[in-house]
Amino acid sequence: MTDEKLSYEQARTELAGVVERLEQGGTSLEESLALWERGEKLADVCQHWLDGARERIETARAARSEG
């Protein structure tokens, strides 16, 4: 599944796993960098979903106040 098709919950769960692995340590520098980069991508996916949700809420509020 590509990052763009991940649900918010899927991206958040995977991101939590990445953070846990980084916090545990014991990985090589290369693996740590790969985990960090994956975490950044997953954080972007989560932010995209949150931004979309915020926009939908603002649109709904604006429509309600106009009616």
Side-chain angles (χ1 to χ4, degrees), residues 1-12:
M1 181 175 294
T2 63
D3 291 343
E4 296 83 26
K5 294 189 180 190
L6 288 174
S7 70
Y8 172 79
E9 292 79 7
Q10 290 168 322
R12 185 191 63 208

Side-chain angles (χ1 to χ4, degrees), residues 9-55:
E9 292 79 7
Q10 290 168 322
R12 185 191 63 208
T13 298
E14 187 179 342
L15 179 57
V18 166
V19 169
E20 185 177 328
R21 287 182 63 194
L22 285 169
E23 287 177 342
Q24 288 174 355
T27 58
S28 68
L29 178 59
E30 270 308 305
E31 186 177 4
S32 294
L33 287 172
L35 286 168
W36 180 269
E37 289 169 349
R38 181 64 182 154
E40 288 288 322
K41 288 178 184 176
L42 291 166
D44 287 345
V45 170
C46 289
Q47 190 62 55
H48 174 76
W49 277 106
L50 293 173
D51 290 344
R54 183 177 299 116
E55 185 177 311

